[in-house]
Amino acid sequence: MFKQKNLIFIGAPGAGKGTISALVLAEQPLVHISTGDLLRDEIKRDTQLGREASTLMKAGKLVPDEVVAGMVRSRLSQPDCRKEGFILDGFPRTIRQAELLADALRELGTQLDRVVYLKVDDDLLLQRLTARQNCRKCGAIYNKIFQPSKQENICDKCGGELFQRPDDSLETAKSRLEVFYRQTQPLIDYYDKLGLLLTITETDKAKIMATLEKELA
Ligand code: AMP
């Protein structure tokens, strides 16, 4: 069990933020806040926000800072986040978002414990992204090369259909990586200066978990 419970996971698309979050959540009841999932949910429900976000997401571009920060802020203000702690997965992605987050946490009377940076080489990121599959029903994440489902295109956990996210095509994946290096990379320095950064270069899931257990204890 971790003592440090208010966490950010930063990493390029395909770095394993979602996968590692799921492993942590299996051991500890933290609240998982993925802005990508929140936005995909808005698209599914065909809301105004979802329609606006959809075009940007398909192009691999970022949704405006104030929009995502607003979604995160309202989720963070619910009592379960205070009680259990939280993992922010895919947020913040810009310095502006980090500043908006700092304001929100200050107002809520809480603070970050650690920022975990999953650092992975580009070649591996692109391989992972373009072979990634998600379950339409339960959201489980697979990979055709590294972690295939037992039956092709069928989820092992719930039998749901597996699909490729539209933004995991090679072209969009490349522009998402470019956006990461341009807009999100500066956050690494930002959180390092605040003394909150934990960089993990390991790519093996069990070893990542062992590091987290040691460092966040
Ligand atoms: P993800 O599932 O985290 O890879 O996010 C998928 C897409 O959602 C991104 O490529 C962005 O278009 C959008 N998105 C997710 N989180 C953010 C964020 N914090 N700021 C801006 N856009 C975001």
Side-chain angles (χ1 to χ4, degrees):
M1 293 288 265
F2 303 155
K3 283 220 187 69
Q4 299 190 3
K5 291 179 170 186
N6 291 347
L7 307 173
I8 293 179
F9 281 7
I10 294 187
K17 302 183 296 289
T19 303
I20 300 300
S21 295
L23 291 175
V24 170
L25 296 171
E27 293 188 14
Q28 189 142 341
L30 303 178
V31 177
H32 182 224
I33 306 175
S34 153
T35 40
D37 286 350
L38 291 175
L39 290 166
R40 282 184 287 277
D41 188 54
E42 296 281 340
I43 294 174
K44 218 179 193 173
R45 291 188 287 118
D46 197 26
T47 62
Q48 171 77 18
L49 196 162
R51 283 192 292 274
E52 282 163 19
S54 169
T55 318
L56 293 164
M57 289 168 76
K58 274 194 201 127
K61 293 190 180 140
L62 294 187
V63 173
D65 292 334
E66 269 70 15
V67 173
V68 274
M71 288 191 324
V72 170
R73 185 202 181 86
S74 75
R75 186 64 190 89
L76 282 175
S77 62
Q78 317 216 341
D80 55 347
C81 288
R82 177 66 63 83
K83 188 163 160 263
E84 312 285 6
F86 54 81
I87 295 178
L88 288 171
D89 164 356
F91 178 92
R93 264 171 151 103
T94 64
I95 297 282
R96 177 72 188 134
Q97 288 181 19
E99 290 167 353
L100 291 168
L101 173 65
D103 292 346
L105 291 173
R106 202 175 310 116
E107 278 169 32
L108 293 166
T110 182
Q111 60 185 25
L112 289 172
D113 291 327
R114 203 60 96 85
V115 177
V116 179
Y117 172 34
L118 300 174
K119 191 170 185 222
V120 177
D121 284 345
D122 282 4
D123 285 352
L124 182 56
L125 289 172
L126 281 175
Q127 256 184 323
R128 279 185 181 172
L129 283 174
T130 51
R132 175 156 74 178
Q133 288 188 304
N134 293 63
C135 174
R136 225 177 262 291
K137 232 162 109 188
C138 75
I141 306 168
Y142 295 86
N143 187 290
K144 281 190 190 169
I145 305 168
F146 302 109
Q147 197 191 337
S149 55
K150 292 196 185 92
Q151 237 184 306
E152 203 179 337
N153 299 332
I154 308 264
C155 179
D156 296 346
K157 293 180 185 139
C158 75
E161 183 203 356
L162 302 185
F163 74 107
Q164 184 186 44
R165 274 171 44 176
D167 56 350
D168 280 345
S169 67
L170 181 61
E171 197 191 342
T172 311
K174 278 187 180 160
S175 62
R176 288 164 67 208
L177 281 190
E178 196 267 323
V179 166
F180 174 80
Y181 288 116
R182 190 161 33 87
Q183 297 189 268
T184 308
Q185 181 92 341
L187 283 182
I188 310 297
D189 246 15
Y190 174 93
Y191 284 120
D192 196 20
K193 287 198 181 109
L194 292 176
L196 290 172
L197 195 71
L198 167 65
T199 300
I200 300 186
T201 51
E202 191 56 65
T203 53
D204 178 81
K205 280 183 282 189
K207 287 187 185 156
I208 295 175
M209 287 304 287
T211 305
L212 290 179
E213 266 151 33
K214 188 168 138 236
E215 294 287 339
L216 305 180

